[in-house]
Amino acid sequence: MVKGTFITVEGPDGAGKTTVLNIIAEELAAEGYPIVQTREPGGSPIAEKIRQIVLDKKHTEMDPRTEALLYAAARRQHLIEKIIPALEKGNIVLCDRFIDASIVYQGFARKIGIDEVLKINRFAIENTMPDLTIYFDIEPKIGLERIQKHRQGEMNRLDLETMEFHKMVREGYLQLLDRFPDRIKKVMADRPIEEVKTEAKKLILSLLVKR
Ligand SMILES: Nc1ncnc2c1ncn2[C@@H]1O[C@H](COP(=O)(O)OP(=O)(O)O)[C@@H](O)[C@H]1O
Ligand SMILES: Cc1cn([C@H]2C[C@H](O)[C@@H](COP(=O)(O)OP(=O)(O)O)O2)c(=O)[nH]c1=O
């Protein structure tokens, strides 16, 4: 029996997911909650290697289905090595992106088809779904401007996508929100970090008191 709580954050690039998740993880840990923070693609040694392949900007010839399979493979390995063991120990797992990112980026924006991508992901995750998903909503233009303004590292392959692609990503997430209103909760991410954090943390705490 899985005793822990599985929470994911999703949204367009530059929405502030990583920034806010870092603060929430630190605060909750200081308040005594057993927190395991992780991210996709990656989060375990094998999955991090797959991340390097899939996000390498030299890999412009990568086929969309190859890309979808690689994300699903990384997800499977991360789940088995890190997420499930942490949940079995009763931890609260906070994960930056999960299955919804594949449905939206590969299924919708890359146009493979939502149901096709769901199928390979069901194979990958069997039935471990998040208890709560916090969707950080932002116009892609603002998210991308944030990334450009603060950029220190290299561009990755997805940073090279067109604005049209990033608009499809947001549209895909909004459709998922309609489809899974019980699991996915929206936070308006175009606000100061402190406000976004407070609202996201409230959603997490209200789930934790119910369990
Ligand atoms: N609410 C916010 N307002 C302004 N800048 C932000 C906000 N949240 C994050 N940022 C900045 O935007 C950039 C992208 O944030 P990040 O957390 O990496 O986004 P994501 O993980 O969603 O791609 C970072 O440089 C971060 O400091
Ligand atoms: C997990 C996942 C990520 N991605 C993309 C979304 C991001 O652009 C990229 C991850 O890069 P990353 O630098 O981690 O971006 P972010 O901080 O915005 O999460 O991979 C997919 O296309 N499919 C997936 O299943």
Side-chain angles (χ1 to χ4, degrees), residues 12-19 146-147 150 189 191-193 196:
D13 297 73
K17 301 177 296 297
T18 312
T19 307
R146 281 182 184 172
I147 293 176
H150 298 281
R191 290 184 301 166
I193 293 175
V196 182

Side-chain angles (χ1 to χ4, degrees), residues 58-73:
K58 293 198 294 295
H59 292 167
T60 49
E61 71 277 37
M62 189 177 288
D63 172 75
R65 284 175 184 248
T66 306
E67 184 188 39
L69 287 164
L70 286 173
Y71 279 120

Side-chain angles (χ1 to χ4, degrees), residues 152-196:
Q152 288 166 333
E154 281 246 322
M155 303 273 281
N156 72 34
R157 210 162 56 79
L158 278 147
D159 293 330
L160 302 175
E161 288 297 340
T162 60
M163 183 53 78
E164 199 44 45
F165 179 85
H166 290 291
K167 283 187 181 156
M168 291 278 287
V169 166
R170 186 185 189 209
E171 174 58 30
Y173 274 122
L174 291 172
Q175 287 193 14
L176 276 189
L177 195 69
D178 276 348
R179 190 159 160 183
F180 302 106
D182 293 339
R183 172 174 65 85
I184 309 180
K185 304 292 175 199
K186 179 167 86 168
V187 165
M188 296 305 299
D190 180 17
R191 290 184 301 166
I193 293 175
E194 181 64 24
E195 282 181 31
V196 182

Side-chain angles (χ1 to χ4, degrees), residues 10-22 96-97 136 138 142-143 145-151 189-194 196:
E10 296 279 357
D13 297 73
K17 301 177 296 297
T18 312
T19 307
V20 169
L21 203 59
N22 284 342
D96 200 338
R97 298 192 185 279
F136 283 53
I138 199 156
I142 301 173
E145 278 168 6
R146 281 182 184 172
I147 293 176
Q148 271 151 16
K149 192 166 149 203
H150 298 281
R151 179 176 299 287
D190 180 17
R191 290 184 301 166
I193 293 175
E194 181 64 24
V196 182

Side-chain angles (χ1 to χ4, degrees), residues 97-116:
R97 298 192 185 279
F98 193 63
I99 185 171
D100 300 308
S102 280
I103 296 174
V104 165
Y105 281 77
Q106 281 65 56
F108 193 73
R110 207 65 95 197
K111 300 191 171 76
I112 294 174
I114 286 176
D115 290 329
E116 293 280 87

